[in-house]
Amino acid sequence: MSGAVLVLEVALGAAAAAAGGLAPRNIRVRVAAALTAAACVAAIVVAVDVLGSGHPVAVRTAEILPLTGAGLVLGQLGAVLVSVTAVVAIAVCVYWPGYAHHGLSSRAASCVVPVFVTSMLVVLEAGDTVTFLVAWELMALSSLLLVLVDQDRREETRSAGQWYAVMTHAGAASIVLAMVLVSAHAGGHSFAAIRSQAGHLPGGVRDVALVLALVGFGSKAGVVPLHVWLPKAHPEAPSPVSALMSGAMVNLGIYGILLVGDRLLGGGPSWWWTAVVALGVVSALYGALQASAASDLKRLLAYSTTDNMGLVLVAVGVSGLLADGRHQTLGALAMVAALLLVVNHALFKASLFLSVGSIQAATGTRELDRLGGLVRRMPVTTAVFVVAALAVAALPPLNGFVGEWLLFQSLLHGLEVSGAVVGVVVSVAVAALALTGGLTVVAFVKAIGVGLLGRPRSPGAEAAREVPHGMQIGAGLLAALCMVLGVAPMLVVPYLERAAATVVAGGRSSVLRGGIELELSGLHGVLAPAWTAVGLALVAGVAVGTRDLVRRRPKRRVAEGWACGRELLTPRMQYTAASFAEPLERVFDDVLRPDRDVTVSHVAESRFFVERVAYRSSVGDVVERVAYRPAIRAVRWWGSRARALQNGSVHRYLGYGLVALLVVLVVLA
Amino acid sequence: MSRSGYVAMLDLGAGVVLVCAVVTLWRRSLAAIIRVLALQGVALGGVALVLGLRQHDGALVVVSFVVVAEKGAAIPAVLMRVVPRGPTSRELSPLVNVPASLVAAGALTLLAFAVSGPVVALVPTATGRLVPLGLATVLIGVLAMAIRKKAVSQIVGLLLVDNGIALVAFLATGGFPLVVELGASLDVLLVVVVLRVLGSEIRSRYGVLDLDELQELHD
């Protein structure tokens, strides 16, 4: 039965794409969104069935792909990620019709969004390398189209599209090489066949495949130093697309690393896991730092995605290291933490991107320094944004807190394990993650404080109105799920445990216990998120009640606030995003290398009187400047040299053909 | 037809094809080159006819007549109409002079013999040892395209390549199926017609049919 639903899901996705391409203008977005959501519901039905029964669902067809046929096998790990992807996509589908006229209503967009969603689901359901790679490429291409669709008038969008195209194709090439290498040596292209041969692969092949997979999937997950496309493409894409990319697509990078590292090759050597942790730590720190310095709201969120994927990679790497050292229980715990972090990130980040889409639609800007005062004008969107932002900042009683608690539990218990490598890696990771947590809070305090509170800083923010209900519901749905998982994580944790047990070889599936409380069996650690929530609610209630009591005192005097001696308070006197981040930029000057520029212009009559002082500060991406710009210059130079080959003479070109032909003949003979 | 006679006929046909290819490099007059090309087409058709009669393959006999009609008559006739009268109808200054290009043709023929070992080994019959001649014709055709300036010479080079491929096909596999051969022939005819139209157009617009003059159109 489930197999049929799996086919139905793909068919619904295809129908949605066809409807988006063919339906008349006034209904096409609605029809495409409804059919896509239906496909996602089908996906969730299958995934829940797989997670409940513990048996994979498999479908094969020889017709779709020539030579090899297409095979779908949905296992437990895939099912977890399919559910997450589908939930995010459903929320986006609810949101999309309201957003459509802000740049996602064209025939092309309505056709490609369903393709993007369906191909992401198929990537997770693929049972062999060919199906996987075809779906992966489809996903990469459709997401590229969606970055560029409807917005081709802006120069930045075009440049972002180029960056994304190059990075995603370089990544895809690397993945293709890894998969081809592994399946050629294993003598079969289905994942099951490769897994059964994994032990017999030569060590060199395994190492090369692991590195290639890490590069290819790492670039999709936005891992430093392959993250450069993320802060360009995510801001420039229409917000529902950003939500899909950041909430669902980056997860597939993590899935790929788990797929190749654990499921295909059955675990890697410890240096590989150490590399994964190192990448994770660097990504988490760098992402958090850049997020706290960013002044563009979507750029901030994009860097925060890098930060969160870094956390997931730390958990994945530590899990591998611990499982390698025969601490399967701890390894499984770290893997549960990784999966929970992925689930959480998908929910809150998609919700944040959708809220920012609402804000951008209402105010026409996403620059923090042009927003402000939205809490009175857009109360629902503000509430959704705040809930999701608190979840990112890992504050209880939200899901982010539970995820990070599990991560730290697995790290701290990992410290007790003997072994120099594990000890060093884990202690560095704990320190770095503590700093990351602090920086994340800074970034989102800035986003809320400067972007939503205070007074409006621009006419656009002044005139903001609450967005249509569909958009509020789409973003709100995900924020509500963040709260539910924060209070009752045991709703999903047992499933994550089973999925983790399929990934970590020999991992016991009963690390965690409890109904309301989350208890680590055999280890010391109990968390009662529901009681925490009740406690926080009590504290908040007492605080509000006390304030009301205080207010009710009759002697209240209304007076003007202190305003440097001036009567009039203007929005320009508020704290700005730049000023908020300035101290941090100073501390991390060497890493961020901000560009500061002060221009003083004098009055024409005298140099002693200043007419105006302009201060500009921008934080670029230091990795891009140091690593990518020189590489691009080198390619440019090489390209201009190579132009000498092409001088317009037909004879020369034919001569090249002759020489190439001769070389081939000689080589082949 | 006795066996030795059959082999001699095949040797002759394939030899003529190669010699014609070399002669196109030697002659400068475009009209003469086209006549040589026509002779090559006839020789190619002859090879197919001999093979067809020997193997009692009716389709191959039909193909041989098609080849003679197309490559021996139709294409040369179309090309002749492009060739202008007067001194411009000569390949006056090829990029590589005639003696050097003849030496190059010899070298390419040697190379063809050197590298076609694997193909020869694949062919079970005695015709396989003639395969290098076809390969040499292909190489000389590409060489002709690369060093000749007139558009007509380029077309001739292309046709040499095509004839060489056809010769290899006849010798190695006993010819294509009829349908494939007809399709390929139509393609080549179409290419020649298009090039002819294009050539006339270039000449009427730029006054010459020297491809080097087109270099200024670059960028």
Side-chain angles (χ1 to χ4, degrees):
Chain A
M1 199 284 279
S2 292
V5 182
L6 206 55
V7 175
L8 176 71
E9 166 218 310
V10 179
L12 280 171
L22 301 174
R25 184 186 183 77
N26 50 350
I27 58 162
R28 70 180 164 224
V29 168
R30 280 167 208 286
V31 173
L35 284 171
T36 312
C40 292
V41 170
I44 291 178
V45 168
V46 186
V48 167
D49 183 43
V50 168
L51 288 172
S53 70
H55 299 298
V57 171
V59 186
R60 270 209 76 74
T61 163
E63 276 81 38
I64 294 179
L65 290 176
L67 300 177
T68 56
L72 299 183
V73 179
L74 185 59
Q76 307 224 23
L77 175 63
V80 167
L81 288 165
V82 161
S83 327
V84 175
T85 309
V87 166
V88 169
I90 288 174
V92 168
C93 286
V94 173
Y95 181 92
W96 182 16
Y99 183 86
H101 62 275
H102 296 287
L104 201 61
S105 62
S106 70
R107 200 173 284 284
S110 329
C111 177
V112 177
V113 169
V115 174
F116 181 39
V117 171
T118 313
S119 57
M120 282 197 290
L121 294 173
V122 174
V123 164
L124 294 165
E125 291 157 356
D128 59 62
T129 50
V130 179
T131 314
F132 182 89
L133 291 175
V134 169
W136 184 273
E137 193 58 29
L138 202 57
M139 171 189 86
L141 286 177
S142 52
S143 55
L144 172 61
L145 284 178
L146 287 175
V147 170
L148 294 172
V149 80
D150 285 344
Q151 311 211 354
D152 48 359
R153 289 166 294 277
R154 276 164 56 86
E155 185 59 39
E156 292 93 333
T157 310
R158 221 172 302 147
S159 148
Q162 277 175 356
W163 276 91
Y164 180 47
V166 169
M167 292 305 289
T168 193
H169 278 91
S174 179
I175 293 166
V176 169
L177 281 179
M179 293 247 166
V180 166
L181 192 65
V182 172
S183 55
H185 278 87
H189 69 274
S190 81
F191 288 158
I194 295 173
R195 182 73 187 90
S196 66
Q197 292 294 317
H200 308 300
L201 292 179
V205 170
R206 292 169 60 95
D207 290 351
V208 172
L210 285 171
V211 170
L212 284 172
L214 200 53
V215 169
F217 291 118
S219 85
K220 188 55 77 180
V223 170
V224 175
L226 303 166
H227 67 287
V228 283
W229 63 273
L230 221 115
K232 295 175 187 295
H234 283 194
E236 291 304 326
S239 287
V241 176
S242 313
L244 281 174
M245 286 172 79
S246 188
M249 191 177 73
V250 293
N251 297 345
L252 303 196
I254 303 295
Y255 172 75
I257 289 173
L258 289 177
L259 176 75
V260 173
D262 278 314
R263 277 188 49 215
L264 294 187
L265 297 176
S270 66
W271 65 261
W272 194 70
W273 296 119
T274 312
V276 170
V277 175
L279 283 178
V281 165
V282 173
S283 305
L285 270 180
Y286 187 77
L289 203 51
Q290 282 282 3
S292 51
S295 63
D296 176 330
L297 205 40
K298 282 175 93 175
R299 192 175 157 89
L300 185 151
L301 295 182
Y303 273 119
S304 155
T305 299
T306 292
D307 160 14
N308 278 280
M309 287 299 118
L311 295 184
V312 176
L313 279 189
V314 168
V316 167
V318 167
S319 159
L321 274 179
L322 292 172
D324 245 17
R326 285 187 295 286
H327 297 282
Q328 272 86 2
T329 317
L330 279 175
L333 178 63
M335 187 53 68
V336 173
L339 293 179
L340 190 58
L341 287 172
V342 167
V343 172
N344 292 341
H345 173 254
L347 296 178
F348 55 61
K349 194 52 66 63
S351 177
L352 283 172
F353 267 113
L354 292 182
S355 315
V356 173
S358 303
I359 291 173
Q360 200 181 352
T363 63
T365 180
R366 50 174 204 260
E367 279 296 324
L368 279 175
D369 289 337
R370 298 185 168 278
L371 295 172
L374 296 180
V375 62
R376 302 223 176 277
R377 292 171 179 79
M378 303 174 70
V380 177
T381 304
T382 299
V384 168
F385 188 95
V386 168
V387 167
L390 293 182
V392 184
L395 295 179
L398 292 157
N399 59 349
F401 174 69
V402 182
E404 293 216 10
W405 181 78
L406 271 181
L407 174 61
F408 275 101
Q409 285 295 330
S410 63
L411 287 175
L412 294 174
H413 285 291
L415 275 177
E416 297 158 10
V417 168
S418 59
V421 177
V422 177
V424 171
V425 167
V426 170
S427 39
V428 170
V430 168
L433 294 194
L435 178 55
T436 306
L439 289 173
T440 311
V441 173
V442 171
F444 283 93
V445 165
K446 181 177 73 177
I448 295 174
V450 178
L452 303 176
L453 307 181
R455 293 191 184 185
R457 293 175 167 81
S458 68
E462 180 84 54
R465 303 273 291 281
E466 189 57 279
V467 290
H469 290 301
M471 290 165 78
Q472 296 175 22
I473 294 170
L477 184 70
L478 295 170
L481 282 175
C482 286
M483 289 202 271
V484 170
L485 287 192
V487 175
M490 287 314 279
L491 291 176
V492 297
V493 168
Y495 298 114
L496 301 185
E497 273 201 280
R498 282 197 222 156
T502 65
V503 178
V504 178
R508 279 217 324 272
S509 63
S510 56
V511 191
L512 294 153
R513 274 197 325 222
I516 297 176
E517 294 179 343
L518 203 60
E519 186 182 356
L520 309 180
S521 66
L523 306 165
H524 302 290
V526 184
L527 177 68
W531 296 127
T532 315
V534 171
L536 281 171
L538 280 178
V539 170
V542 168
V544 172
T546 324
R547 189 194 66 183
D548 284 356
L549 281 179
V550 171
R551 267 206 188 152
R552 214 168 292 150
R553 284 196 309 196
K555 285 184 188 171
R556 198 165 69 169
R557 203 158 55 87
V558 178
E560 195 66 32
W562 184 75
C564 297
R566 288 179 63 154
E567 284 293 299
L568 191 68
L569 278 173
T570 72
R572 292 198 55 187
M573 293 173 182
Q574 296 177 103
Y575 225 11
T576 64
S579 51
F580 188 84
E582 211 273 341
L584 206 67
E585 283 178 23
R586 262 176 207 281
V587 174
F588 292 100
D589 197 55
D590 288 338
V591 186
L592 293 173
R593 305 238 198 114
D595 243 351
R596 292 209 189 85
D597 194 13
V598 181
T599 321
V600 181
S601 43
H602 302 278
V603 186
E605 288 80 20
S606 164
R607 288 185 47 77
F608 296 104
F609 293 95
V610 172
E611 187 177 16
R612 60 185 299 169
V613 180
Y615 174 84
R616 222 166 34 77
S617 160
S618 64
V619 179
D621 194 314
V622 69
V623 176
E624 182 188 326
R625 194 162 37 188
V626 173
Y628 285 80
R629 292 290 168 194
I632 292 172
R633 269 199 300 278
V635 170
R636 281 244 169 84
W637 179 84
W638 188 245
S640 64
R641 296 283 100 185
R643 277 196 57 118
L645 285 173
Q646 183 224 8
N647 70 346
S649 156
V650 179
H651 298 97
R652 189 186 269 225
Y653 301 157
L654 288 165
Y656 293 150
L658 178 63
V659 170
L661 181 63
L662 294 180
V663 168
V664 168
L665 280 175
V666 169
V667 168
L668 286 182
Chain B
M1 190 164 30
S2 70
R3 182 175 158 69
S4 64
Y6 156 71
V7 171
M9 293 289 278
L10 274 187
D11 284 356
L12 177 66
V16 169
V17 169
L18 179 57
V19 170
C20 287
V22 177
V23 170
T24 55
L25 289 182
W26 172 45
R27 298 304 300 267
R28 287 171 183 268
S29 149
L30 295 181
I33 289 176
I34 292 169
R35 279 196 293 276
V36 172
L37 190 70
L39 177 61
Q40 190 182 41
V42 173
L44 188 65
V47 170
L49 182 65
V50 171
L51 281 170
L53 290 177
R54 175 74 178 183
Q55 295 166 1
H56 305 293
D57 185 347
L60 198 50
V61 175
V62 175
V63 167
S64 75
F65 287 116
V66 171
V67 168
V68 171
E70 188 211 5
K71 298 187 169 166
I75 291 177
V78 172
L79 284 182
M80 274 298 185
R81 298 184 57 178
V82 196
V83 176
R85 305 275 161 254
T88 54
S89 70
R90 294 176 68 80
E91 186 74 58
L92 284 177
S93 55
L95 294 175
V96 178
N97 65 24
V98 170
S101 57
L102 288 177
V103 171
L108 288 177
T109 310
L110 284 180
L111 182 79
F113 272 94
V115 299
S116 54
V119 185
V120 174
L122 278 179
V123 183
T125 59
T127 55
R129 71 196 162 75
L130 295 175
V131 164
L133 299 183
L135 193 57
T137 310
V138 171
L139 294 179
I140 291 171
V142 180
L143 179 69
M145 282 199 281
I147 64 174
R148 291 303 176 95
K149 282 189 177 169
K150 298 283 180 199
V152 174
S153 311
Q154 308 262 317
I155 304 173
V156 170
L158 183 70
L159 292 169
L160 287 181
V161 172
D162 183 61
N163 288 349
I165 292 170
L167 182 62
V168 172
F170 287 137
L171 293 171
T173 66
F176 307 115
L178 185 57
V179 178
V180 178
E181 176 61 35
L182 285 179
S185 302
L186 267 183
D187 268 1
V188 173
L189 198 59
L190 199 66
V191 166
V192 172
V193 170
V194 168
L195 289 177
R196 184 209 174 289
V197 172
L198 196 63
S200 313
E201 190 66 20
I202 292 173
R203 195 170 52 202
S204 68
R205 192 160 299 178
Y206 302 106
V208 286
L209 203 43
D210 241 10
L211 287 187
D212 263 7
E213 308 285 332
L214 298 186
Q215 194 165 338
E216 287 170 16
L217 301 182
H218 149 80
D219 283 346

